[in-house]
Amino acid sequence: MKNSRSKVINNYTLELGSSGSTGTGSEIETAYKTEAYLSSVSVAAGGTCTNEKTFYTSTVYRGSGVIYKIDESSKTIYFITCYHVINGFEDKVWVLLATSLKPIEVSVVAYSAHHDIAVLKYVSSDLVDTLSGCKAIKTFDSSYISNGEDVFAIGNSLSSGLSITEGDVSDTNVMIRISGNSFDTRTIQTSAEINPGNSGGGLFNAKGEFIGLVNAKKHSVNSGSETVTVVGTAYAIPSNLVIGIADSLIKTKNKAIQVNLGAVFAHDINDGMRIEYISHDGVYKPIETYTVYVRSVTSGSVAHGKLKANDVINAVEFSVVENGVTKLIKVNMFNQHIFDYYAFSIIEDSVITFFVKDGTGERQVQVVASAVASEAISTASSMN
């Protein structure tokens, strides 16, 4: 369903405050969608871009993004998109805001090719004029998303401008492997219709809060000798992971920083969460399940003498800071990249407890997260 830019903006008639909207159910829904729309952007990379027409016709890659932060002190607008949207053209990236007909050329702060996330920025002497009513996303804690929850996606579908599609959360814990990668990514599966050009756009809950970054879809599966077309199966990187990496990239300007325990986690095909292998274009491969274990521990690291090779990890508990408040969280060890989800916000020098499978029970192993280091990811070579 395509919403014209003028129609959406003209429908923005309700006052939204910290306590939400007032009005009828349909009016509130329209206001939430409008707020999310105003935080969404189209992204283009490579080629030539001088106006709205060339943005859609003369660039090499076209996708979507969201406005992440508006820093008034530095006059800077930060955007988030998928790295594969700009891959290879990091020096030629443009953003088109929902309320504008004039693309702005942005610079790449940094990116994680590993997680398919890139942070862009634009410095403006007049933020009010540049934004023209657009605003930053409101973020929701993706660990509280439920299966069956109503959601909608906003993106530059088929390179024809921002549009809104509706669906629900089909699964909160689907592992996918993008073609060309040797690792798996945790995603939210949604039935919202996604097309080429939606990559890097936002997935929002019913209140217009950002819950994920759209990065892949599935359009066919192999059924015996036939290829069957699939609809309503798309994926988004959870907001907690997106924000953790984005904040780290903005802070360091060239790499994502996360807790490093000196332990490498891997998985065996066994029993646990499912993994669906899928490309950005929707090529499907078989499903696997797995159990997480410790593959190796670096001598002299904080985990040395605590964890050991072949330890099977059932769960992990640690402290994070959320909205300025320290919280103790316990989660199942659902994949070998467990810390991808939380490691960017784990408190340095705090205690991390691993629940290790031990015969018919489990033992607890405590490790102090005193070491913080860079993960092995790619970063832009020509950063500003």
Side-chain angles (χ1 to χ4, degrees):
M1 179 177 63
K2 180 77 186 316
N3 289 324
S4 69
R5 187 173 300 134
S6 60
K7 179 180 179 182
V8 172
I9 301 307
N10 289 338
N11 280 345
Y12 185 63
T13 58
L14 301 182
E15 293 295 327
L16 289 175
S18 59
S19 60
S21 304
T22 59
T24 67
S26 60
E27 288 175 331
I28 293 172
E29 181 178 287
T30 298
Y32 285 143
K33 288 182 179 178
T34 301
E35 280 225 325
Y37 187 92
L38 291 172
S39 68
S40 301
V41 300
S42 299
V43 178
T48 303
C49 180
T50 56
N51 52 42
E52 186 184 29
K53 180 179 179 180
T54 55
F55 180 92
Y56 290 113
T57 60
S58 301
T59 49
V60 179
Y61 293 149
R62 288 177 290 277
S64 309
V66 296
I67 301 174
Y68 175 44
K69 284 184 177 180
I70 301 169
D71 187 341
E72 295 185 3
S73 62
S74 63
K75 303 292 185 182
T76 303
I77 307 169
Y78 290 99
F79 307 90
I80 302 175
T81 187
C82 284
Y83 173 63
H84 75 264
V85 172
I86 66 169
N87 184 11
F89 297 99
E90 293 85 356
D91 59 339
K92 293 183 178 181
V93 183
W94 295 270
V95 162
L96 188 60
L97 278 72
T99 58
S100 177
L101 299 178
K102 182 180 179 181
I104 55 176
E105 186 169 4
V106 299
S107 59
V108 178
V109 176
Y111 60 81
S112 169
H114 180 102
H115 294 102
D116 195 21
I117 293 173
V119 177
L120 317 173
K121 74 174 183 179
Y122 181 76
V123 179
S124 172
S125 59
D126 188 343
L127 288 178
V128 174
D129 182 64
T130 300
L131 288 167
S132 186
C134 292
K135 54 190 66 182
I137 53 173
K138 292 182 178 180
T139 306
F140 183 78
D141 184 343
S142 54
S143 62
Y144 293 99
I145 298 169
S146 301
N147 290 343
E149 186 173 339
D150 291 336
V151 295
F152 60 92
I154 301 180
N156 178 24
S157 178
L158 301 176
S159 299
S160 58
L162 295 176
S163 60
I164 301 175
T165 54
E166 300 175 347
D168 56 32
V169 173
S170 306
D171 199 325
T172 60
N173 282 320
V174 177
M175 300 301 298
I176 65 172
R177 180 174 295 184
I178 303 298
S179 58
N181 291 347
S182 59
F183 48 85
D184 310 310
T185 300
R186 178 177 185 253
T187 64
I188 301 164
Q189 182 180 323
T190 177
S191 63
E193 184 178 346
I194 298 300
N195 291 303
N198 275 100
S199 288
L203 184 68
F204 301 89
N205 64 16
K207 290 187 176 181
E209 297 164 321
F210 176 76
I211 63 170
L213 196 73
V214 174
N215 73 324
K217 69 169 290 183
K218 178 164 60 181
H219 66 70
S220 64
V221 298
N222 296 323
S223 178
S225 59
E226 296 181 338
T227 299
V228 179
T229 300
V230 175
V231 295
T233 306
Y235 305 91
I237 307 167
S239 58
N240 286 7
L241 178 56
V242 174
I243 299 309
I245 293 173
D247 282 345
S248 189
L249 292 174
I250 292 171
K251 180 180 179 180
T252 65
K253 300 296 188 292
N254 66 354
K255 56 190 174 185
I257 301 297
Q258 64 181 30
V259 169
N260 179 14
L261 303 179
V264 177
F265 300 98
H267 69 269
D268 272 340
I269 298 173
N270 194 316
D271 191 6
M273 300 299 297
R274 64 185 182 180
I275 303 177
E276 297 189 8
Y277 291 77
I278 191 168
S279 72
H280 292 300
D281 295 327
V283 178
Y284 172 84
K285 294 184 179 180
I287 293 175
E288 296 179 352
T289 57
Y290 64 94
T291 293
V292 177
Y293 69 98
V294 178
R295 187 171 68 187
S296 63
V297 179
T298 303
S299 178
S301 67
V302 294
H304 184 238
K306 302 291 185 67
L307 295 172
K308 61 181 185 297
N310 298 317
D311 274 347
V312 175
I313 309 299
N314 291 331
V316 61
E317 185 177 70
F318 46 82
S319 296
V320 299
V321 175
E322 294 181 356
N323 299 319
V325 178
T326 301
K327 299 173 60 176
L328 188 64
I329 296 176
K330 182 178 180 181
V331 295
N332 292 326
M333 194 70 151
F334 45 77
N335 67 71
Q336 76 273 31
H337 300 293
I338 177 69
F339 289 109
D340 284 358
Y341 195 65
Y342 293 103
F344 302 94
S345 56
I346 292 178
I347 301 172
E348 187 177 2
D349 297 325
S350 64
V351 175
I352 302 175
T353 302
F354 290 91
F355 297 83
V356 181
K357 186 177 181 180
D358 188 6
T360 57
E362 64 181 17
R363 60 186 171 90
Q364 295 184 20
V365 176
Q366 292 189 328
V367 178
V368 177
S370 59
V372 176
S374 169
E375 77 166 315
I377 60 173
S378 302
T379 55
S381 58
S382 57
M383 297 173 199
N384 296 321

